[in-house]
Amino acid sequence: MPKCGVCGEKVDRLYQCRVCGVKFCEDDGSPEDMICVNCSEKEKEILEAEHEEEREQEHDEEEWEKEEEEHEEEEEEDREESLDGYR
């Protein structure tokens, strides 16, 4: 019987991970996706990091837009004050 490259158990059937090539049993990965649990966890971490970056970028853009709006409002107020002083 072959041994799982992840847990070391002897099993009837092994699958080869498409990422790292380790042979794993159905308990230590996804036979449908052909990925072992170790690589699956790494992919999750990478995806989460990418999503976090996207969320941070969206937040930064929202902050920038808010600051831009405040700046425009201040400029408008300054123009109105200047016109009041001119009249």
Side-chain angles (χ1 to χ4, degrees):
M1 279 182 117
K3 276 175 106 174
C4 174
V6 176
C7 69
E9 295 289 320
K10 291 184 179 182
V11 293
D12 291 331
R13 180 157 184 186
L14 292 176
Y15 307 89
Q16 188 164 2
C17 178
R18 64 179 163 80
V19 177
C20 70
V22 71
K23 295 188 179 197
F24 63 93
C25 66
E26 65 183 343
D27 293 334
D28 290 318
S30 172
E32 299 85 29
D33 296 331
M34 297 301 289
I35 189 166
C36 72
V37 68
N38 295 332
C39 292
S40 178
E41 291 298 317
K42 288 177 191 171
E43 278 191 356
K44 282 183 196 174
E45 290 174 6
I46 290 169
L47 287 173
E48 287 174 3
E50 288 174 355
H51 290 306
E52 180 62 28
E53 286 178 14
E54 290 171 2
R55 285 190 293 270
E56 286 178 6
Q57 186 176 6
E58 288 173 4
H59 176 74
D60 290 346
E61 288 172 0
E62 289 171 359
E63 287 294 314
W64 182 82
E65 288 174 1
K66 185 178 176 182
E67 289 175 7
E68 189 69 22
E69 287 175 9
E70 290 173 355
H71 182 70
E72 288 174 3
E73 288 174 3
E74 289 174 0
E75 287 181 343
E76 181 65 27
E77 289 173 6
D78 289 346
R79 279 194 292 269
E80 288 176 6
E81 287 178 10
S82 294
L83 286 175
D84 288 343
Y86 179 73
R87 293 179 194 162

